[in-house]
Amino acid sequence: MVRTPVTVIGGFLGAGKTTLLNHLLRHTDQRLAVLVNDFGEINIDAELIASHDGNTVNLSNGCICCSIGDSLVEALIGVMQQAERPEHIVIEASGVADPARIAELATLDASLELNAVVVLTDAPRLPDLVRDKYVGDVVEQQLQSADLIIMNKIDRLSAIDRRDATEVLLRLAPDARVIEAVNASVPGELVLDAGRDLDALATAPPSSGTGSCCHGPDCNDPDHHHDHHGHDHDRRHANLFATCTLSADKPVPRAALARFLDGLPKDVLRLKGLVLTDENPSRPMLLQMVGRRWTLDADHRLDVAPKTRLVAIAVAAEFDAANLQRGFAALQ
Amino acid sequence: MLDETVIYKARKIITMNPDRPVATHVAVRGGRILGVGSLDDLRGWSKRDVDMTLADKVLMPGMVEGHSHAFEGLVWDHTYVGSYERRDPDGKAWPGVGTIEALIARLKEAEARLGSPDQTLTGWGFDPLFVERRLTAADLDRVSTTRPVVVQHASGHIINANSLVMEKAGITPSTNSEFILRDSEGRLTGEFAGQVGRFMLAKAIGGTGLADLGDRPDAVRRFAKAAQMTGVTTATDLHNDLSEKTVETFRSVTAEDDFPIRLVPAFRGTHTREDAVAYIGSLQRYNSSKLRFGLVKLIADGSIQGFTARLRWPGYFNGSKNGLWYIAPDELKGLVKRYHEAGLQVHIHTNGDEATEAALDAIEHVLADVPRRDHRHTLQHCQMASAAQFRRMAALGVCVNLFANHIYYWGDAHLAHTMGPDRADRLDACATALATGVPFAMHSDAPVTPIGPLFTAWCAVNRKTLSGRVLGAEQRISVMDALRAMTLGAAYTLKMDADIGSIEVGKFADFAVLEDDPTEVNPEALKDVRVWGTVVGGRIFPAPRT
Ligand SMILES: [Zn+2]
């Protein structure tokens, strides 16, 4: 059975979940089904809307956007029963929800598979929020549930405040992968499955900012200050991420692979590709890693040559690609 | 006929009007009270014969249920399998089930009555603490293997299902979730918690199996009957989307002459419709003597027994982590402000004391911005509030509606598991409300617990738990204070005290008609006072006899 990946987008009120969902909806090459708490906030461009019927908006790019309303469970099942099943389901968690609880739903159905729990955080407010007497524990739990944390609004931080926010994250979620972002703008490939073309990651690395980073001059996202940040933020992307490919000639022992993945340095944010393991040296498995979560799928339908080829995306700053490649090659 | 003057004689009339606390006669005209006193006092209004229908009864103001749900009328579509006796709206008593065998027998009986062969059989109100072992899918398979069988727990968080439901939902032994309960050997028991249970039901039977109230005028009538036979003349439906369909159903049903209560629905304040305030305004045009729109309900946290209420330090007694915000405190401020500014009255569900604190912060914040006298915003449940929080309520003009029935049904669990002795002693602190001058009511939250104002009053007077112990003796209140809370107190929290809540000139002729005098019986027998029926707007409604 082909499983539909599910990504849960969490984060406290005001962290930028809606902005991120807007990015994903506008710049995806997949048929996404996005489940949102409130249509009113998502603000989809009128020209993108193909039709609107009750709780569902159909977009001209094939995506659908559904209002969760009173029952996430019913909205999710509704999406699963669509005539044309979406390629990826994205669920917006409410601002006070623990996204890991919502991610539970993806484990209940054999036709679903959890891709990742992505949690946004409003970096300037983070140190105050985790100390808040009412919601400190909620924010803390959300961060601990994350496979990938998007530290949003870093353009509004001074150097000192930035250090404080980073310290909070290191203390509360020491294992999580963290991306810094402005206007919740992160390359879609980092969050969702990059889609049909396995090589897309390598040939069009996110550092080129293909579409995912910025809306261009027609952008009417109220949270998007092109005048002030546009150029800055393109440049930031260009310098932020690095990619590298990992390959191996011989099958990799599965146990050693698992240890390698669990022990990856924190600056490796994303890994995707095919890997031949000792369990079936003639047919590669599909490896997906988003943040700290990875899955190996032997049942994929891809028609591929029996070889190992993985693409990694990492935070550029201190990334040592050669070291990673050596470590992977040593697994054989 | 209602325009004629009728003088009723009663054995005794308990008025809740301090100017004339007791009387023997009441004169009624046009559905309202003309006068209360001796026959001599009333002769100036009419020389006609005295109506002796209620001559040997004790009259009280009609009881006001300030927190119930019309959903009570729907649960009786399904089979009651709770641990204590419960009466359905026809007056039929359903004994509690104390064993798994008794539960299976009850369900089998109901199964035989179901029509179509694939219709879901649902049991409700099940409490696993009162049977000898865990209920399993194998037990429910004995009821049926060919139709879905589901048992809803009284906690509201867990369901049991038969094998067919699991199969239809695609749940297998390898499905991995902490919300799918297992026995000590790791086998599936057929119990499912929270949204996992809802997901399974939605996949297996296409929903929760519960009907929409808007489609079911009969269920609204059933709810009214359930309330009426316990002496209630005004009841809330305290959380409702108020869709056009539901509004239409409420309007048509309450317009029926023999509809026996005044219905007060509260709009779900987190409804995503942007014109919420204007919408409520449009509903208020439909207000009649039997139907009153205008209340807004907000839910800040979960339930204490489900460990989803938000507690302040030191948190849950058994070490469970803190519960859930249903509305974040900052958002609560915004929502309270929206309705407060529009002049509406907000009822806020706060079970845990941290949720109570956040609600008080929100109201204080909003009042500083937009001062408004006599807003009567009301905290619902408010079960764990400290004396300091009651003093804040008094200062802010906030009312409270306490969940006294909890003392009986969950008091033992609160003592042992959820909050421990210090806070269990002040659970639903009626005496503190009295001492601090916070206007208060008490409620059943039907169908969470059975509707029954005299039972609710009994809980506050005796504070006895199911196991028979007294929980927080210092918080016991007098019979008169408890009865006042169930009448004038609740009317005040609904801003209806000008029209209901006491037997007093000018108010609706709404009476609870009793066989016994609640102020004369032993306080321990308050719950056993027999209800003969009610009078609503001068019309007599005898309760069904069983
Ligand atoms: Zn309720």
Side-chain angles (χ1 to χ4, degrees):
Chain A
M1 178 186 288
V2 180
R3 292 165 171 249
T4 309
V6 175
T7 298
V8 179
I9 309 284
F12 198 67
L13 302 156
K17 295 188 293 294
T18 305
T19 316
L20 176 62
L21 290 170
N22 265 319
H23 279 293
L24 297 178
L25 270 175
R26 287 176 210 199
H27 302 296
T28 181
D29 60 348
Q30 300 184 76
R31 280 182 299 104
L32 302 182
V34 180
L35 276 61
V36 298
N37 289 301
D38 190 352
F39 270 153
E41 287 176 15
I42 193 98
N43 191 22
I44 304 164
D45 296 341
E47 66 264 30
L48 254 179
I49 296 176
S51 62
H52 188 157
D53 119 64
N55 288 333
T56 303
V57 175
N58 294 291
L59 274 60
S60 49
N61 63 4
C63 294
I64 56 171
C65 184
C66 306
S67 163
I68 289 170
D70 287 336
S71 169
L72 170 60
V73 159
E74 276 162 46
L76 177 60
I77 288 172
V79 160
M80 288 162 63
Q81 289 169 347
Q82 293 269 330
E84 204 181 1
R85 190 146 169 156
E87 291 173 281
H88 199 120
I89 298 173
V90 182
I91 303 175
E92 180 196 13
S94 91
V96 285
D98 175 0
R101 287 274 169 272
I102 290 165
E104 272 275 332
L105 290 174
T107 67
L108 290 179
D109 194 295
S111 70
L112 299 178
E113 180 169 61
L114 181 61
N115 177 58
V117 174
V118 177
V119 172
L120 286 118
T121 173
D122 180 340
R125 282 182 71 208
L126 182 62
D128 287 338
L129 273 178
V130 296
R131 275 195 302 267
D132 186 274
K133 70 169 175 169
Y134 290 130
V135 299
D137 64 320
V138 174
V139 172
E140 197 172 307
Q141 180 62 57
Q142 289 175 343
L143 293 172
Q144 284 165 355
S145 296
D147 297 313
L148 183 68
I149 295 174
I150 298 175
M151 203 168 145
N152 196 19
K153 308 185 188 179
I154 48 156
D155 55 323
R156 301 182 198 170
L157 281 178
S158 69
I160 294 172
D161 291 343
R162 190 157 166 169
R163 205 180 57 217
D164 281 358
T166 308
E167 269 171 21
V168 168
L169 284 187
L170 273 175
R171 178 166 56 83
L172 296 181
D175 298 327
R177 306 297 204 271
V178 180
I179 314 178
E180 296 182 342
V182 175
N183 293 326
S185 162
V186 295
E189 302 93 301
L190 276 179
V191 176
L192 305 181
D193 183 357
R196 301 142 195 134
D197 183 6
L198 267 183
D199 285 326
L201 282 177
T203 53
S207 52
S208 69
T210 37
S212 306
C213 300
C214 202
H215 298 151
D218 58 334
C219 172
N220 56 7
D221 187 331
D223 215 27
H224 218 162
H225 310 293
H226 286 271
D227 295 346
H228 309 295
H229 299 296
H231 291 290
D232 253 12
H233 122 225
D234 274 347
R235 204 167 54 238
R236 203 190 300 280
H237 271 303
N239 302 329
L240 212 54
F241 302 108
T243 62
C244 77
T245 44
L246 307 176
S247 50
D249 302 326
K250 284 179 274 176
V252 176
R254 170 118 185 216
L257 177 64
R259 277 196 302 277
F260 173 79
L261 294 172
D262 287 335
L264 280 173
K266 275 184 65 182
D267 48 6
V268 179
L269 302 171
R270 180 87 167 86
L271 205 55
K272 174 165 182 174
L274 294 158
V275 57
L276 275 179
T277 69
D278 55 353
E279 284 178 8
N280 186 351
S282 60
R283 177 149 170 85
M285 294 210 257
L286 178 62
L287 173 70
Q288 279 279 13
M289 192 187 85
V290 177
R292 62 180 173 176
R293 174 183 301 276
W294 57 265
T295 52
L296 265 179
D297 181 6
D299 298 333
H300 63 87
R301 297 271 171 80
L302 298 168
D303 184 20
V304 286
K307 60 174 190 175
T308 292
R309 185 159 183 280
L310 295 169
V311 177
I313 306 178
V315 179
E318 288 162 41
F319 179 52
D320 185 346
N323 189 40
L324 188 71
Q325 284 163 329
R326 270 196 306 278
F328 186 73
L331 295 178
Q332 307 172 61
Chain B
M1 176 203 139
L2 285 179
D3 289 336
E4 292 170 5
T5 301
V6 183
I7 297 178
Y8 291 101
K9 176 184 166 15
R11 188 165 104 223
K12 180 177 177 183
I13 302 175
I14 303 164
T15 69
M16 296 294 162
N17 173 9
D19 293 336
R20 191 186 291 265
V22 292
T24 54
H25 292 72
V26 56
V28 175
R29 181 189 295 167
R32 292 197 181 252
I33 296 162
L34 210 45
V36 188
S38 65
L39 184 58
D40 270 359
D41 297 328
L42 303 180
R43 270 307 181 205
W45 294 112
S46 168
K47 300 281 183 266
R48 295 169 53 123
D49 288 349
V50 172
D51 188 313
M52 300 299 281
T53 317
L54 309 173
D56 61 344
K57 313 294 182 216
V58 174
L59 300 191
M60 271 189 55
M63 307 280 188
V64 181
E65 175 48 90
H67 187 153
S68 55
H69 300 272
F71 186 60
E72 164 79 20
L74 280 175
V75 292
W76 294 99
D77 283 358
H78 306 289
T79 307
Y80 175 66
V81 291
S83 59
Y84 51 86
E85 182 184 289
R86 204 156 167 161
R87 284 212 293 162
D88 71 18
D90 298 319
K92 176 176 157 64
W94 293 83
V97 299
T99 63
I100 298 284
E101 277 312 311
L103 179 138
I104 293 172
R106 171 86 50 94
L107 288 173
K108 272 186 171 165
E109 229 177 271
E111 203 271 341
R113 286 195 305 268
L114 280 189
S116 89
D118 51 0
Q119 196 184 337
T120 302
L121 175 69
T122 303
W124 61 278
F126 176 61
D127 192 334
L129 288 177
F130 294 90
V131 291
E132 70 279 15
R133 60 172 173 82
R134 282 168 83 171
L135 180 64
T136 65
D139 294 324
L140 298 182
D141 289 345
R142 286 175 55 203
V143 178
S144 176
T145 53
T146 56
R147 70 165 85 240
V149 181
V150 177
V151 169
Q152 306 266 2
H153 290 221
S155 69
H157 296 281
I158 296 180
I159 60 166
N160 272 83
N162 67 345
S163 300
L164 183 67
V165 171
M166 291 199 278
E167 188 193 311
K168 283 184 161 210
I171 304 282
T172 67
S174 65
T175 312
N176 182 22
S177 165
E178 63 174 292
F179 298 97
I180 298 177
L181 282 57
R182 291 167 193 274
D183 65 17
S184 52
E185 268 121 65
R187 288 173 305 215
L188 298 181
T189 60
E191 293 163 279
F192 303 87
Q195 64 177 0
V196 170
R198 289 196 296 280
F199 185 78
M200 191 187 63
L201 284 190
K203 269 177 74 187
I205 63 173
T208 56
L210 295 161
D212 182 335
L213 209 55
D215 297 323
R216 293 290 304 276
D218 62 311
V220 183
R221 288 185 203 107
R222 247 184 349 191
F223 164 62
K225 262 174 86 181
Q228 182 268 337
M229 67 188 194
T230 66
V232 170
T233 55
T234 297
T236 47
D237 177 27
L238 211 63
H239 198 226
N240 198 305
D241 272 357
L242 299 180
S243 68
E244 269 89 356
K245 194 168 62 176
T246 303
V247 168
E248 203 34 59
T249 300
F250 283 174
R251 285 185 69 192
S252 64
V253 170
T254 54
E256 293 163 4
D257 281 342
D258 58 356
F259 187 75
I261 60 166
R262 305 186 195 280
L263 184 63
V264 186
F267 177 78
R268 181 168 69 94
T270 48
H271 200 295
T272 47
R273 63 184 307 150
E274 269 163 35
D275 61 342
V277 165
Y279 185 63
I280 298 169
S282 74
L283 298 183
Q284 285 176 305
R285 289 179 298 130
Y286 303 140
N287 283 359
S288 68
S289 64
K290 287 268 199 69
L291 179 62
R292 190 170 154 281
F293 293 107
L295 284 188
V296 176
K297 169 93 176 281
L298 296 171
I299 299 184
D301 68 343
S303 78
I304 304 168
Q305 70 274 24
F307 298 97
T308 49
R310 287 292 305 194
L311 271 57
R312 293 189 300 180
W313 191 88
Y316 284 102
F317 196 46
N318 70 354
S320 285
K321 72 174 189 172
N322 209 346
L324 307 175
W325 291 110
Y326 289 13
I327 303 173
D330 266 350
E331 237 182 330
L332 189 60
K333 278 182 192 163
L335 285 164
V336 171
K337 184 166 186 187
R338 174 202 288 180
Y339 297 110
H340 173 91
E341 276 181 335
L344 295 167
Q345 193 192 357
V346 183
H347 282 226
I348 310 174
H349 158 130
T350 73
N351 259 318
D353 55 355
E354 191 183 38
T356 294
E357 191 77 0
L360 290 172
D361 284 358
I363 294 169
E364 186 174 82
H365 171 89
V366 169
L367 282 173
D369 265 9
V370 186
R372 198 180 119 203
R373 294 204 183 273
D374 203 26
H375 53 78
R376 298 193 210 178
H377 299 316
T378 299
L379 302 187
Q380 289 287 347
H381 303 327
C382 199
Q383 302 206 66
M384 298 181 68
S386 66
Q389 289 180 322
F390 275 98
R391 288 188 287 272
R392 279 188 80 190
M393 291 175 221
L396 294 168
V398 168
C399 311
V400 69
N401 190 349
L402 299 163
F403 198 168
N405 287 19
H406 239 264
I407 299 165
Y408 177 74
Y409 288 109
W410 285 283
D412 296 315
H414 290 322
L415 190 63
H417 306 299
T418 70
M419 59 184 84
D422 297 78
R423 289 170 294 172
D425 275 352
R426 68 170 199 224
L427 182 74
D428 295 291
C430 300
T432 308
L434 272 175
T436 50
V438 177
F440 78 105
M442 305 182 301
H443 65 271
S444 68
D445 200 12
V448 176
T449 73
I451 194 166
L454 288 166
F455 175 81
T456 302
W458 173 87
C459 289
V461 167
N462 296 284
R463 294 186 67 90
K464 280 241 173 83
T465 69
L466 257 168
S467 73
R469 71 175 298 148
V470 173
L471 194 65
E474 300 304 322
Q475 287 292 347
R476 287 179 298 193
I477 59 173
S478 72
V479 169
M480 270 314 286
D481 284 330
L483 295 178
R484 188 178 296 105
M486 298 311 301
T487 51
L488 200 50
Y492 188 86
T493 67
L494 303 177
K495 281 201 173 182
M496 292 177 75
D497 54 308
D499 282 320
I500 60 173
S502 61
I503 302 179
E504 188 171 342
V505 59
K507 292 198 180 187
F508 286 129
D510 292 0
F511 314 134
V513 182
L514 310 175
E515 301 278 12
D516 313 301
D517 181 350
T519 61
E520 293 295 328
V521 301
N522 181 336
E524 295 209 7
L526 186 57
K527 66 179 166 55
D528 306 318
V529 165
R530 293 163 299 162
V531 177
W532 179 87
T534 56
V535 175
V536 178
R539 188 187 167 113
I540 296 176
F541 291 94
R545 301 273 95 87
T546 46

